[in-house]
Amino acid sequence: MSAVTASRYPAEYESIAPLLPGQNLPWLQQLRSEALQAFSAKGFPSPREEEWRYTNVSGIEKKLFSVPASQADSEVDDWLKAYQLADAWSVVLVNGRFSAELSTLNGLPDGVSILSLADALATQAAQVQSHLGQAVANSEHGFVAFNTAWFSDGLFVHVPPKQVLAKPIQLLHIVTQADALATTRNTIIIDESAQASVVETFVGADNAYLTAAVTEVFVGQNADLTLYKMQSESEKAYHFGGIYIKQERDARFAHHNFAFGGLLARSDIHADLGHASECVLNGLYLGVKRQHIDNHTRINHLKPYGISRETYKGVLDDKARGVFQGRVIVFEDAQKTDSQMNNRNLLLSVDAEVDTKPQLEIYADDVKCGHGVTVGQLDDKSVFYLQSRCIDEETARNMLTFAFANEMVDKISIKSLHDNVLEQVLARFPQQGVDKEWL
Amino acid sequence: MLSIKNLHVSVGDKPILKGINLEIKAGEIHAIMGPNGSGKSTLSHVLSGKSGYTVTEGSVTYQGKDLIEMAPDIRAREGVFLAFQYPVEIPGVSNVYLLKAALNAIRKHHGEPEVDAMDFLTLVKEKVRLLEMDEKFLYRAVNEGFSGGEKKRNEILQMAILEPKLCILDETDSGLDIDALKIVSEGVNSLRSPERSFVMVTHYQRLLDYIKPDYVHVLAHGQIVKSGGPELALELEEKGYSWLEEQVAA
């Protein structure tokens, strides 16, 4: 085997390029062409790369996913009904392209931009130009380069200074076509002292397809952003979602990552913390059958007084495999950093597997940092206790597993999203005779 | 109600119970006393169906049915309740959530519809008052962060709500201060009825000052070495267990 297996995708690019937005923008054409070059040289990441050693994405090359010629938004009603959040502004992308009619964007406050990236490139290209590619470089890895070259649309959000959004913003990403390639690029800019919450929801029909999304997040001075990711892709789908965050001084950022779907799903969450900024990363991954779910986080404490709190929990059943790689780097300048990282895993079957690798790298001398990892099974004493209280064994196990997972669900502060995620978790771990009102 | 005949139980290769015989009729309270390591807890665990114990000989018949054959949850639905010596903390599962699931499991077992939400709350709140507990307890995770006394009270609360026929109290009195003991005892006494039987496993005679047993049995080295009325407990209080243990050893 050669060191780098050439990707089959660049050969397709010429026919796809005219379909992509920003044809009239030389700077973007330049950016895309550099990205194409970078991707052609390296292809998708290989397990030989340290940060990809547990996750082999070569299946993407076997299938050759292609950009759908049309949006084909014929049958998305069920998805909207199940996942579109009531009382949120939403940008709906079907097969990687914005659908104005399905999106709800009325009543935006003055100065707030929530629109598709393609529209943003048409109406506020300068604002896009100054941010696109600024939170992550194409050299990060093949998926980022691929995304930059191939992105067909995405979400663009700009919240001006001191604006506090009353409603959450949802990016609803639906893939209906078999073998589709949905490459989306999102840019979220929260200016000084502004506040917002954004929900990324990824769903799709019961097909094989590839989602390759990159989200760049800019949280300005003293600004506040809570970002949720609800990944409920089809069990046959490949999913890559990278989220790259730049936090200015005193900025607060929280991410809640729910990874339930996909045949092979990988999330990268990388945050750069400024002076006294605060970063919370929460995650819950639930794997069944042969699902492979990889979450890769990196917190860069670049300046003093930063605070980071990370909790990832995983439940793996059947032959599912979970991967958690959490890296916290405290740079020399980042004195008084306060960082905690935790990864807890529950294995429900003997064939389930988790690879967990927390890494703490500290180059400053006055910091408070810790991390912990657990991998375990359900406690027999607890199962027996519930059984002695009339609960059948299966419900008892589901009740305990659910309780383990629900700690993360409980942290969602948008009610409609909370209820939506709760339903999904309850459906995974059904229980008899209970009343969810009393969870 | 419960008939234990020549019950032998081992943990691994080690025999723990060596031929227990016990007849319990409806409405009776039996106290099982004995020193540490005599097999008291094994007996209550075997009756409630905890795994890890092998019945090597003998039988346990509950209401005419073979109890040993039943899964723990089926025993519970049939009316067997174990109040744990060490109640288990269940983070993330609230008391009301568990209680409703438990009550509905019993109702389903008997072919009855699920409990009405209002009736359920009324029942639960009434029992909470009986045990002088704060209603807030209901919405807290089962036993999580509870004091020893609160855990034991919570066991009796569950018992009061699930209305079992055979209540097994495994050292419910251990570690309780006198106020908690009184509350727990009152709770138990209020549940006494001609249809309900109790097996009280205890190390201390003090419990029997508050809950009057009909019979007292002394367990030593896996056998019942002496049975009698409440007066036996007083004798044990005076003389300890050693004179009985010596009898068996001899």
Side-chain angles (χ1 to χ4, degrees):
Chain A
M1 212 162 111
S2 63
V4 174
T5 312
S7 173
R8 296 158 69 198
Y9 285 84
E12 305 283 303
Y13 192 75
E14 211 177 315
S15 62
I16 289 155
L19 305 171
L20 305 177
Q23 296 295 315
N24 57 334
L25 299 169
W27 64 267
L28 183 55
Q29 293 306 97
Q30 176 69 22
L31 193 63
R32 286 198 193 264
S33 131
E34 286 163 15
L36 179 64
Q37 266 177 30
F39 179 74
S40 302
K42 287 188 76 183
F44 289 112
S46 113
R48 281 183 295 272
E49 295 174 42
E50 178 58 23
E51 315 242 285
W52 290 82
R53 60 183 289 195
Y54 302 111
T55 297
N56 187 338
V57 301
S58 59
I60 294 171
E61 288 289 348
K62 287 181 188 127
K63 197 92 189 174
L64 204 67
F65 298 99
S66 57
V67 178
S70 71
Q71 195 177 68
D73 54 351
S74 48
E75 286 165 39
V76 296
D77 283 2
D78 288 350
W79 302 112
L80 297 177
K81 204 182 280 176
Y83 291 101
Q84 195 166 29
L85 299 178
D87 204 29
W89 288 296
S90 63
V91 164
V92 180
L93 299 178
V94 179
N95 297 318
R97 287 173 198 281
F98 175 62
S99 164
E101 63 188 84
L102 301 176
S103 303
T104 51
L105 290 168
N106 44 336
L108 286 180
D110 283 349
V112 173
S113 301
I114 304 173
L115 67 169
S116 74
L117 186 68
D119 288 347
L121 284 168
T123 60
Q124 41 187 303
Q127 184 70 278
V128 180
Q129 185 180 1
S130 59
H131 291 88
L132 193 80
Q134 296 305 304
V136 65
N138 291 325
S139 56
E140 175 70 20
H141 56 59
F143 275 107
V144 175
F146 181 84
N147 177 279
T148 306
W150 262 263
F151 74 79
S152 57
D153 211 336
L155 168 72
F156 181 85
V157 172
H158 178 213
V159 182
K162 292 200 282 181
Q163 183 81 50
V164 177
L165 291 190
K167 295 200 286 186
I169 300 161
Q170 183 183 26
L171 166 67
L172 180 50
H173 192 276
I174 309 170
V175 181
T176 61
Q177 283 194 12
D179 303 328
L181 170 58
T183 311
T184 51
R185 183 72 165 227
N186 309 303
T187 307
I188 299 170
I189 307 157
I190 312 296
D191 283 347
E192 185 184 332
S193 300
Q195 190 175 327
S197 37
V198 178
V199 180
E200 293 183 300
T201 306
F202 294 92
V203 293
D206 187 24
N207 292 320
Y209 58 85
L210 168 62
T211 295
V214 167
T215 301
E216 291 181 279
V217 177
F218 304 87
V219 192
Q221 270 199 34
N222 198 37
D224 195 309
L225 175 69
T226 303
L227 182 61
Y228 298 89
K229 175 171 178 175
M230 174 71 259
Q231 187 273 98
S232 289
E233 303 272 27
S234 138
E235 280 179 20
K236 295 172 186 159
Y238 290 87
H239 173 96
F240 171 79
I243 297 159
Y244 306 91
I245 307 110
K246 292 270 186 209
Q247 292 182 243
E248 298 290 326
R249 188 185 178 102
D250 300 321
R252 296 168 301 281
F253 172 76
H255 190 246
H256 301 265
N257 179 9
F258 297 94
F260 299 167
L263 173 67
L264 188 151
R266 157 88 171 214
S267 284
D268 281 10
I269 298 111
H270 292 185
D272 285 349
L273 274 69
H275 183 104
S277 56
E278 192 179 318
C279 178
V280 175
L281 302 185
N282 289 319
L284 175 65
Y285 44 101
L286 308 178
V288 290
K289 299 178 189 166
R290 290 178 168 275
Q291 279 184 291
H292 180 111
I293 303 178
D294 180 354
N295 288 297
H296 188 285
T297 69
R298 186 157 78 217
I299 297 172
N300 293 322
H301 281 277
L302 302 171
K303 301 281 179 193
Y305 296 103
I307 299 173
S308 61
R309 292 286 178 272
E310 176 164 12
T311 308
Y312 265 71
K313 281 183 148 187
V315 180
L316 287 318
D317 202 352
D318 306 327
K319 296 189 171 187
R321 184 170 178 195
V323 179
F324 173 78
Q325 293 190 82
R327 208 169 151 197
V328 174
I329 306 168
V330 181
F331 287 76
E332 206 177 336
D333 195 21
Q335 300 295 359
K336 303 290 180 189
T337 289
D338 176 357
S339 169
Q340 285 294 328
M341 171 168 43
N342 252 294
N343 175 226
R344 295 177 61 197
N345 297 281
L346 199 50
L347 299 183
L348 300 181
S349 95
V350 290
D351 294 323
E353 183 182 333
V354 65
D355 296 288
T356 170
K357 194 172 134 194
Q359 290 169 277
L360 202 48
E361 294 165 39
I362 303 173
Y363 303 102
D365 54 20
D366 185 12
V367 301
K368 195 167 75 181
C369 296
H371 65 79
V373 167
T374 60
V375 179
Q377 285 131 32
L378 287 178
D379 174 28
D380 286 340
K381 280 198 204 104
S382 304
V383 175
F384 174 65
Y385 186 77
L386 294 178
Q387 281 190 281
S388 78
R389 297 301 175 257
C390 314
I391 313 295
D392 66 88
E393 188 181 343
E394 194 187 334
T395 297
R397 290 184 176 278
N398 283 341
M399 209 178 256
L400 294 168
T401 311
F402 172 80
F404 175 84
N406 192 39
E407 186 196 336
M408 306 318 292
V409 181
D410 251 355
K411 295 180 192 290
I412 304 175
S413 51
I414 301 169
K415 190 174 184 306
S416 54
L417 178 68
H418 172 269
D419 293 352
N420 185 289
V421 177
L422 181 68
E423 287 299 333
Q424 293 186 60
V425 180
L426 275 176
R428 289 272 184 124
F429 309 111
Q431 300 154 55
Q432 300 272 331
V434 297
D435 194 332
K436 66 182 182 201
E437 200 183 307
W438 283 320
L439 283 167
Chain B
M1 174 78 69
L2 185 74
S3 172
I4 302 175
K5 291 206 167 84
N6 190 33
L7 181 67
H8 287 68
V9 174
S10 296
V11 175
D13 289 337
K14 198 183 171 211
I16 307 288
L17 299 182
K18 303 164 187 167
I20 303 277
N21 289 290
L22 195 59
E23 291 290 328
I24 297 175
K25 294 194 179 68
E28 291 178 353
I29 297 192
H30 290 244
I32 311 241
M33 303 189 69
N36 290 326
S38 58
K40 300 192 303 286
S41 279
T42 298
L43 180 61
S44 43
H45 288 160
V46 168
L47 293 179
S48 57
K50 190 173 178 180
S51 62
Y53 299 92
T54 313
V55 175
T56 52
E57 216 182 318
S59 67
V60 181
T61 312
Y62 166 72
Q63 295 195 312
K65 295 174 191 162
D66 181 353
L67 190 70
I68 302 302
E69 288 291 302
M70 290 184 213
D73 48 306
I74 304 297
R75 297 182 198 202
R77 292 176 208 179
E78 289 274 344
V80 178
F81 184 94
L82 170 68
F84 281 59
Q85 180 180 5
Y86 304 110
V88 182
E89 297 191 9
I90 314 279
V93 176
S94 74
N95 271 312
V96 272
Y97 188 78
L98 172 60
L99 284 168
K100 185 149 190 202
L103 204 56
N104 279 333
I106 294 175
R107 294 175 73 101
K108 193 176 170 196
H109 186 72
H110 294 111
E112 293 162 13
E114 290 203 347
V115 62
D116 173 80
M118 289 305 291
D119 294 349
F120 172 71
L121 264 190
T122 310
L123 169 75
V124 168
K125 287 183 176 171
E126 177 200 320
K127 302 299 182 190
V128 162
R129 277 193 295 276
L130 174 75
L131 285 150
E132 299 180 30
M133 289 166 77
D134 191 321
E135 270 187 32
K136 284 184 197 136
F137 267 77
L138 291 171
Y139 305 98
R140 283 174 55 183
V142 178
N143 295 323
E144 193 183 33
F146 286 22
S147 71
E150 286 167 344
K151 284 181 182 171
K152 297 293 175 80
R153 257 195 267 179
N154 200 32
E155 295 291 286
I156 305 305
L157 172 71
Q158 294 174 2
M159 192 167 94
I161 289 162
L162 301 180
E163 301 189 314
K165 297 191 186 81
L166 175 65
C167 306
I168 304 158
L169 309 183
D170 188 7
E171 308 219 10
T172 297
D173 54 321
S174 300
L176 290 187
D177 64 34
I178 195 69
D179 295 327
L181 179 63
K182 280 181 185 168
I183 292 166
V184 164
S185 304
E186 279 165 26
V188 171
N189 285 327
S190 73
L191 290 170
R192 292 184 76 156
S193 93
E195 291 83 39
R196 186 170 290 134
S197 311
F198 292 83
V199 176
M200 294 193 301
V201 173
T202 180
H203 188 74
Y204 303 106
Q205 188 274 336
R206 185 184 64 160
L207 174 68
L208 310 184
D209 293 342
Y210 296 94
I211 306 173
K212 207 91 200 124
D214 300 300
Y215 300 96
V216 174
H217 311 277
V218 180
L219 196 60
H221 303 297
Q223 287 180 308
I224 291 177
V225 293
K226 198 167 177 61
S227 294
E231 72 287 347
L232 177 57
L234 296 171
E235 202 178 343
L236 289 168
E237 171 92 333
E238 248 172 63
K239 307 206 294 206
Y241 292 114
S242 53
W243 58 287
L244 286 166
E245 288 188 280
E246 279 155 21
Q247 274 185 0
V248 184

